[in-house]
Amino acid sequence: MTDELERLANGVLWPGFFGTEAPEWLRAELRDGLAGVVYFGQNVGEGLPALSAAILDANPDALIGIDEEGGSVTRLESATGSTVPGAAQLGLLDDLVASEKTGAELARRVRAVGANVVLGPVADVNTDPRNPVIGVRAFGDDEALVSRHVVATIDGIQDAAVAACVKHFPGHGDTHMDSHHSLPEITLDLDEFERVHLEPFRAAVDAGVDAVMTAHIVVPAWGEQPATLNPRVLGMLRDWGYGGVIITDALDMAAIRETVGLGGGAALALAAGADLLCIGNPTNPGDAALPDQDEQDFRATRDGIVAALRDGSLSRERVEEAARRVAALAAKLHAAADRDQEPADEFDAAEIVRRVLTVTGDAPAAASELAVIDARRRSTLAVDSAGSYVANALADDGLRVRLDVASAPLAEQDRVLDEVTAAPGTTVLLIDRPDTDPAQRALVERAALRDPAAVVVNVGLPTATPLPLPSVEVAAASRLGAQMARDALLGRFAVQQRTSVD
């Protein structure tokens, strides 16, 4: 039996869980007021609509969220790669109608599986090209461009009776560290940070966004605590007049878990002004994950809140306020879902991506077959950077070889280059960090010496420093982007040539 304080805490908790069926502990907590769940890739299967129905049967007011950004980040298509344009592609296109339609399509897909919160769009302004966790997930590096596309995407999502959650407040774009593994510190001039990185969030608040997700980053001028735990930072949103739900980024990320812990982080986040606590993905520890890691993480988080309520370090009024905001969002979404939805506008994802693709350097001759070296960086907890679906879609029936240039000795790299350049078809080097990874660039340079007719497909940020080979710029590590790059290399449609590198 859940006691009164545990039930109160349940109203602000958003756990992940193992499997494609709701475990009994989760159903019991939902019946006792648990705010909802967050889906991750390992929850996704053919039975996802039935899973959502079971969750809503246990708690009709449950919020069901999912990271579905399009482009390089998808959960619904985690096994095969996204077929929706990504933020960087939309920013490069700079067509607000395309962004709004993309938001509507994301919402349609999320509603189709019974979920009701899209954890997106990304409102970060990616001003550091080394950024390991944002990159092409952002619309760009200009605050005005990012702001207008954030608003367009929010409109598309929320007009379809799904909540949008902009992230990662106050801005994760000017860092070269990943808060999944460390605690990034922003050293940018404060005036510049406020002018550039806060602007898209102000625009989102003005546009009526339903939810804002926090970042586990430290801005020293605002205190030593990460934003998720910092009342001064979260208070900015309320000072702007924002009355919606503040959601934490996952509390199992190292920036929180390995500093103050799940329970301590949960209590501090609520005290700082957060309303809904995303606990995280229980599969993140990998082989170290315990069979009941999901339930253990949930209980550790709730126990921390209850302990803080009992010792007075966290006020009951603050948790009740947070729970009211969460409940109000659930009520809004249920009321919207009950209304008849207007038919969605025609959406052609492939056409959007075709319009974005460019070639840097001389246009390559049309190929008949592609032999691909996949030299992208390793996957992270946030982004499946090395997902095989990208290389598979690009190579199709041709040769495909995975090469980890970060760890493979030069002799091994040369062996792979010799194998692929000798194979039938056009040699393609699939990369994602041409300007910030010297090993990727060095591989391209050695390939150019062996095979001057080789080409590069870059699924990361657009190339800023010229490469010795033509480069098809895709700006998303997605199945759709790879398919469009393949079609372009096979001469199935003309690609705009980018004759100078900006």
Side-chain angles (χ1 to χ4, degrees):
M1 171 69 84
T2 305
D3 72 16
E4 181 188 10
L5 292 183
E6 288 177 339
R7 184 176 178 85
L8 175 60
N10 272 2
V12 297
L13 291 178
W14 223 25
F17 61 95
F18 285 132
T20 55
E21 296 182 358
E24 177 51 39
W25 72 264
L26 180 64
R27 293 196 298 272
E29 299 299 343
L30 286 162
R31 290 190 290 269
D32 274 327
L34 183 64
V37 301
V38 181
Y39 286 153
F40 295 93
Q42 48 92 17
N43 301 122
V44 174
E46 291 182 1
L48 193 56
L51 173 59
S52 298
I55 289 167
L56 292 169
D57 181 63
N59 180 0
D61 295 322
L63 295 176
I64 303 176
I66 187 165
D67 265 324
E68 198 63 27
E69 299 173 14
S72 298
V73 175
T74 177
R75 301 294 178 257
L76 293 176
E77 298 181 289
S78 57
T80 58
S82 178
T83 54
V84 177
Q89 293 173 325
L90 293 166
L92 288 167
L93 187 61
D94 201 10
D95 178 339
L96 296 180
V97 173
S99 289
E100 184 172 357
K101 287 184 176 182
T102 298
E105 175 64 12
L106 291 171
R108 185 195 67 77
R109 294 183 181 202
V110 165
R111 282 195 69 192
V113 300
N116 50 20
V117 181
V118 172
L119 294 176
V122 168
D124 303 309
V125 183
N126 196 77
T127 52
D128 190 333
R130 300 170 298 171
N131 200 319
V133 70
I134 304 301
V136 294
R137 297 170 65 194
F139 290 104
D141 60 6
D142 175 81
E143 67 273 17
L145 179 142
V146 172
S147 296
R148 61 180 176 263
H149 287 278
V150 162
V151 169
T153 307
I154 289 170
D155 288 345
I157 293 170
Q158 294 189 174
D159 285 350
V162 172
C165 176
V166 291
K167 56 191 183 184
H168 308 79
F169 183 79
H172 210 310
D174 195 80
T175 177
H176 61 277
M177 299 171 66
D178 184 347
S179 52
H180 291 84
H181 303 291
S182 58
L183 182 56
E185 183 174 300
I186 302 296
T187 57
L188 191 67
D189 175 78
L190 186 59
D191 289 342
E192 183 179 354
F193 187 86
E194 291 181 344
R195 177 180 59 81
V196 174
H197 296 276
L198 292 184
E199 184 56 33
F201 294 97
R202 289 193 189 96
V205 168
D206 290 345
V209 71
D210 284 325
V212 177
M213 178 172 281
T214 66
H216 304 327
I217 59 170
V218 172
V219 181
W222 294 332
E224 298 179 355
Q225 294 175 305
T228 299
L229 312 181
N230 191 324
R232 180 174 178 181
V233 176
L234 301 191
M236 291 179 191
L237 289 167
R238 303 306 180 197
D239 291 343
W240 295 346
Y242 178 63
V245 177
I246 298 176
I247 302 176
T248 69
D249 206 346
L251 296 178
D252 69 336
M253 292 162 62
I256 302 297
R257 186 171 199 151
E258 295 182 11
T259 54
V260 294
L262 283 172
L268 289 170
L270 285 166
D275 303 307
L276 183 58
L277 310 183
C278 176
I279 297 173
N281 184 353
T283 67
N284 283 344
D287 293 340
L290 300 171
D292 61 345
Q293 189 76 52
D294 51 356
E295 185 177 3
Q296 285 204 25
D297 286 351
F298 165 74
R299 298 201 182 284
T301 306
R302 189 175 67 184
D303 288 349
I305 297 170
V306 171
L309 286 167
R310 286 181 173 148
D311 70 20
S313 59
L314 175 63
S315 75
R316 180 175 182 133
E317 291 75 18
R318 169 76 272 274
V319 183
E320 289 173 340
E321 176 190 47
R324 283 196 298 272
R325 287 201 184 101
V326 173
L329 176 57
K332 173 185 175 180
L333 293 176
H334 288 309
D338 290 340
R339 296 195 296 268
D340 290 336
Q341 298 297 308
E342 295 183 6
D345 292 336
E346 184 179 347
F347 180 70
D348 189 340
E351 176 59 22
I352 291 173
V353 174
R354 274 195 294 267
R355 290 167 60 196
V356 173
L357 258 61
T358 59
V359 173
T360 297
D362 295 333
S368 59
E369 188 175 351
L370 305 180
V372 177
I373 300 176
D374 182 358
R376 294 171 295 155
R377 59 179 163 164
R378 297 173 184 174
S379 296
T380 68
L381 293 177
V383 185
D384 190 10
S385 308
S388 60
Y389 44 74
V390 177
N392 289 344
L394 187 59
D396 197 20
D397 293 331
L399 177 65
R400 180 184 70 82
V401 179
R402 170 69 180 157
L403 178 61
D404 185 350
V405 292
S407 60
L410 288 179
E412 172 64 13
Q413 296 185 38
D414 286 339
R415 185 196 65 76
V416 170
L417 282 170
D418 290 339
E419 176 189 356
V420 175
T421 55
T426 298
T427 300
V428 178
L429 292 105
L430 176 60
I431 62 173
D432 58 0
R433 295 178 74 82
D435 295 312
T436 59
D437 187 336
Q440 288 189 10
R441 183 167 286 267
L443 183 73
V444 173
E445 290 169 350
R446 294 203 307 282
L449 295 175
R450 283 172 166 79
D451 184 0
V455 296
V456 170
V457 169
N458 173 28
V459 295
L461 295 173
T463 307
T465 304
L467 292 166
L469 292 171
S471 177
V472 178
E473 304 289 339
V474 180
S478 66
R479 173 162 50 111
L480 176 60
Q483 289 170 338
M484 294 302 99
R486 175 178 174 80
D487 285 351
L489 290 172
L490 296 180
R492 293 173 180 166
F493 68 91
V495 180
Q496 180 180 352
Q497 193 166 2
R498 186 170 169 234
T499 54
S500 62
V501 177
D502 299 328

